[in-house]
Amino acid sequence: MSKPSSKTKDILQKYNFHVKKHFGQNFLTDTNLLHKIVDTAQVDQQTLVIEIGPGIGSLTEVLLAKAKHVIAYEIDDDLIPILQERITHRNFTLIHQDFLQSDVDHDILALGIAFTKAIVVANLPYYITTPIIMKLIEESTRLQEFYVMMQYEVAKRFTSKPSTKDYNSLSVFIQYKTDASIVINVPKHVFTPAPNVDSAVVRMRIKDHIERFPIDEKHFFKLVRNAFSMRRKTLANNLSKTMGYNKQTLQDHFTDLGFSPSVRAEALQVDDFITLSDILHKE
Ligand code: SAM
């Protein structure tokens, strides 16, 4: 990766902009990395890109050179005039809004343009990584892929496999809905200010076809959340305590599914959770 350029710092200085920690502002300084992200996302003239948190527009500029259109959501009042002055491309829509309050599908429709794919490319504000991803997955029906920079630790949780230390309810939820993998590892020194931890870009592809749906999705999510509620406890202990199931009945189900009665949640694959949710839901 190239040495961080001073362009980002020059722009911040020019506008006398003071970075706001509470908005998770860590601006990218490495031009090579910006290009690598956009190339990895295979942005082309038929791609509509959603960016969350454009900052001073470093990633936005690279996206705009390749994309059909970019819609960017920025919460910080002080960044709006900077973005308006710096980014004057016709294929750019800036929405001054908290992304968590937005209606992405509505905003895409309101553009009234044709495109072959709609994707998210963003260096996320880390304090709300999980709510942003949940919102994208739960609410939008128009987005196919996300390329999102997040803390490396969170990236590992999103992408980790059963029986590993990072596997948790979030991994199950993300992997139920998407194919997720880390595509770029990013060191902390390519940001200003540098965060305390390394980062990674995660690619999530919404599954066109979910192989198997639980009978009751809400019940499935509740079960998964509760299954991991106390990591050191067995699955039977967690589920009897949090959801009131009989411990012996749970253990019998685990044996029927090929697990030990003292199995822990991290041993179960997404599919096992669906099976268990369906059995318990019927009872
Ligand atoms: N994209 C820029 C870059 O890579 O240099 C900035 C990324 S910075 C990690 C996160 C950006 O998200 C900041 O511009 C911040 O103001 C913005 N932001 C924080 N919370 C937000 C929210 N709820 N909705 C929209 N933007 C938000």
Side-chain angles (χ1 to χ4, degrees), residues 43-48 64-69 91 114-116:
V43 175
D44 64 22
Q45 277 303 307
Q46 291 307 317
T47 310
L48 169 65
L64 280 164
K66 293 262 174 89
K68 173 142 197 183
H69 202 96
N91 53 341
F115 49 85
T116 52

Side-chain angles (χ1 to χ4, degrees), residues 1 11 35 43 49 52 90 101 107 132 167 178 180 187 190 250:
M1 241 160 251
I11 296 166
H35 284 276
V43 175
V49 179
I52 299 148
R90 286 196 10 229
Q101 304 302 320
D107 296 333
I132 288 175
Y167 187 67
T178 78
V190 298
L250 287 168

Side-chain angles (χ1 to χ4, degrees), residues 23-28 53-55 74-75 98-99 123 127-128:
F23 281 149
Q25 291 175 349
N26 298 98
F27 299 108
L28 278 169
E74 177 54 64
I75 197 171
D98 174 353
F99 178 73
N123 172 19
Y127 73 108
I128 44 169

Side-chain angles (χ1 to χ4, degrees), residues 123-145:
N123 172 19
L124 294 178
Y126 291 173
Y127 73 108
I128 44 169
T129 300
T130 302
I132 288 175
I133 301 298
M134 292 302 191
K135 178 181 169 76
L136 289 169
I137 288 178
E138 284 174 3
E139 289 180 18
S140 176
T141 57
R142 298 188 168 264
L143 298 166
Q144 285 116 43
E145 287 177 5

Side-chain angles (χ1 to χ4, degrees), residues 67-83:
K68 173 142 197 183
H69 202 96
V70 175
I71 302 178
Y73 295 86
E74 177 54 64
I75 197 171
D76 186 350
D77 301 353
D78 297 333
L79 285 170
I80 301 302
I82 301 178
L83 283 163

